[in-house]
Amino acid sequence: MKMKKVISLVLSAAMAASLCGCLGGSNAATTAAESSAAGSTAAAGEETTAAAAETKEHSADAVGLKLSTTIKELELTTVPNGMGVQAMADYLDEQDGGVYLDMYLDGVLGSSTDELLGGAQTGAFDMVALSFGNWGDYTDGFAALSIPYLFTSSEQVYAYIDGPEGDAMKQQVEEDTGMVVLAFLDVGFRNITNSRGPIKTPDDVKGLKLRTQNDRYQIAALEALGATCSVISFSELYSSLQQGLVDAQENPIINTYTNKFYEVQDYMTLTRHAYTCTILAISRESLDKLTPEQQQLVLDAGKVAQDTAREKLVEVEDDYLEKLSKEMEIYDPTQEELEAFQKVAMTSWDIIEQDMGSEKFNEIVNAAQEIADSLK
């Protein structure tokens, strides 16, 4: 079992005290107020979200599941993963089964992986919505999703996640972390942007100072392409690009647009080198406190969230790509050019196999290949 130590009891106790208990909390879903241009932040909990404002009042005995996430209020209506979370909240309200989603957005209860997963594990809150790449210190359950160019289409990813391979992922994650995966919320495939010049071949990546998330498999692939990788927190990425600490980054189209990276990046190449999703999960302890009927409602609501994110991805991504094309020079490689990127990036697979172990690595690759072949 791979389990990173839980955050300190002091922090956990502080979180728990601030929430006055986890299940059955207040009916108002709160979030941090928007930061000003100078970076000042209003006291946490002063503003209720638009979603909460539109949500009906809940009975005194209704169970409020506290969700902690860095997703912002605006993203509940503008990006697929946020729309998925909102769809879950709406579904639970519509079903009127005595359980509802109590959302704490924009990192108001913590933004780091330790704060989010640790808080859920220790009972400070019930649920998290966190990018799969941030779970690596706690579990290898999502490792398949980090292998560069293992999947080349959303359809392949969905077939993998929805099949026995996805069930195995969920089982390992629960064994390692005590968290039950409710949904894989789409964000899309990752692409490279930079301020240096157009990227049309793998050679154009060489020497780029590129920010990436803390995912060792994706870092290995980008380094194979010749980039010098720096792990910088997402909240500091814009300023790092603006100040020239790095001159490139890689993110899904949606993240690049909504975070206005086009203001500090001039070029985007649709490398589609890795799939990204947000994991919506609830602690086993919190789930088990619910009645069997309420547990099923939560599981069903997770399916609604996942389906909603998938449905919204295409329309939102196409819209944002069109808007980005007015702000940046976007290059869409031909199939031959894309295969050149794949060939170089996949040289990192040897490193990944050594790290993961040949048996597990081959099992993942063979399953993904079978899915790809079946979809041809």
Side-chain angles (χ1 to χ4, degrees):
M1 177 184 295
K2 180 175 181 178
M3 171 74 87
K4 185 174 179 177
K5 65 181 185 298
V6 177
I7 56 173
S8 71
L9 293 177
V10 174
L11 177 57
S12 300
M15 283 184 174
S18 71
L19 291 174
C20 299
C22 203
L23 290 172
S26 95
N27 288 340
T30 56
T31 181
E34 291 291 332
S35 297
S36 69
S40 63
T41 304
E46 288 183 355
E47 293 185 355
T48 56
T49 66
E54 297 172 0
T55 299
K56 66 178 183 180
E57 290 296 318
H58 302 99
S59 63
D61 60 349
V63 177
L65 295 174
K66 290 185 168 61
L67 168 69
S68 180
T69 181
T70 56
I71 291 174
K72 298 177 174 62
E73 179 181 339
L74 179 63
E75 293 172 339
L76 296 177
T77 56
T78 57
V79 298
N81 56 344
M83 292 175 176
V85 170
Q86 184 61 54
M88 179 177 188
D90 293 342
Y91 178 83
L92 290 175
D93 284 346
E94 291 165 3
Q95 297 303 307
D96 198 20
V99 59
Y100 65 93
L101 198 59
D102 192 5
M103 292 185 281
Y104 291 77
L105 307 173
D106 204 13
V108 66
L109 298 182
S111 57
S112 72
T113 304
D114 285 349
E115 289 169 337
L116 290 169
L117 282 182
Q121 289 174 329
T122 55
F125 35 83
D126 307 294
M127 298 175 58
V128 295
L130 179 67
S131 174
F132 82 87
N134 293 321
W135 291 67
D137 285 339
Y138 286 76
T139 178
D140 287 329
F142 301 121
L145 300 179
S146 292
I147 299 176
Y149 288 116
L150 179 64
F151 306 104
T152 57
S153 72
S154 295
E155 290 75 20
Q156 292 175 15
V157 176
Y158 299 159
Y160 191 94
I161 288 173
D162 296 342
E165 296 81 15
D167 293 338
M169 275 197 286
K170 293 176 183 178
Q171 181 178 347
Q172 182 179 346
V173 170
E174 183 174 353
E175 290 174 354
D176 290 347
T177 69
M179 300 296 293
V180 178
V181 175
L182 299 175
F184 297 79
L185 303 179
D186 258 322
V187 185
F189 280 86
R190 306 180 78 85
N191 305 286
I192 297 176
T193 73
N194 82 102
S195 58
R196 190 176 71 180
I199 295 175
K200 297 183 179 181
T201 71
D203 285 343
D204 295 329
V205 180
K206 291 180 179 179
L208 278 181
K209 296 182 294 181
L210 189 148
R211 178 271 177 188
T212 186
Q213 60 183 348
N214 189 19
D215 186 316
R216 61 188 185 276
Y217 296 164
Q218 292 186 26
I219 290 173
L222 293 164
E223 288 181 341
L225 287 167
T228 300
C229 295
S230 297
V231 176
I232 298 172
S233 69
F234 192 79
S235 62
E236 297 175 357
L237 177 52
Y238 185 98
S239 61
S240 296
L241 292 167
Q242 189 177 44
Q243 296 166 15
L245 298 179
V246 289
D247 49 28
Q249 63 94 34
E250 46 87 46
N251 257 295
I253 289 167
I254 291 164
N255 287 355
T256 296
Y257 179 77
T258 57
N259 291 276
K260 299 184 178 181
F261 295 144
Y262 56 82
E263 293 180 344
V264 287
Q265 298 277 268
D266 299 318
Y267 307 93
M268 171 188 279
T269 297
L270 302 180
T271 49
R272 305 180 187 92
H273 53 274
Y275 167 80
T276 296
C277 66
T278 295
I279 303 300
L280 182 62
I282 184 171
S283 74
R284 169 54 69 181
E285 182 178 351
S286 292
L287 188 62
D288 286 347
K289 288 180 181 179
L290 303 175
T291 67
E293 293 77 15
Q294 289 172 335
Q295 290 181 32
Q296 189 58 52
L297 269 180
V298 171
L299 296 176
D300 291 344
K303 181 66 164 56
V304 169
Q306 181 169 287
D307 290 346
T308 299
R310 290 181 182 181
E311 291 168 5
K312 296 296 183 182
L313 176 66
V314 175
E315 62 184 75
V316 171
E317 192 172 63
D318 287 347
D319 179 46
Y320 287 171
L321 184 59
E322 182 179 354
K323 290 177 179 177
L324 281 171
S325 68
K326 299 175 183 178
E327 306 289 345
M328 311 172 73
E329 181 179 315
I330 297 177
Y331 187 71
D332 190 2
T334 65
Q335 183 59 38
E336 183 179 353
E337 289 171 331
L338 195 58
E339 288 173 357
F341 282 99
Q342 294 170 351
K343 183 178 180 180
V344 176
M346 287 169 66
T347 60
S348 66
W349 281 22
D350 289 341
I351 298 173
I352 297 172
E353 181 178 359
Q354 291 174 12
D355 181 80
M356 190 180 290
S358 294
E359 183 177 354
K360 182 176 181 180
F361 176 80
N362 290 328
E363 180 181 319
I364 290 172
V365 172
N366 290 338
Q369 187 59 56
E370 287 180 11
I371 288 171
D373 291 341
S374 70
L375 293 173
K376 287 181 179 177

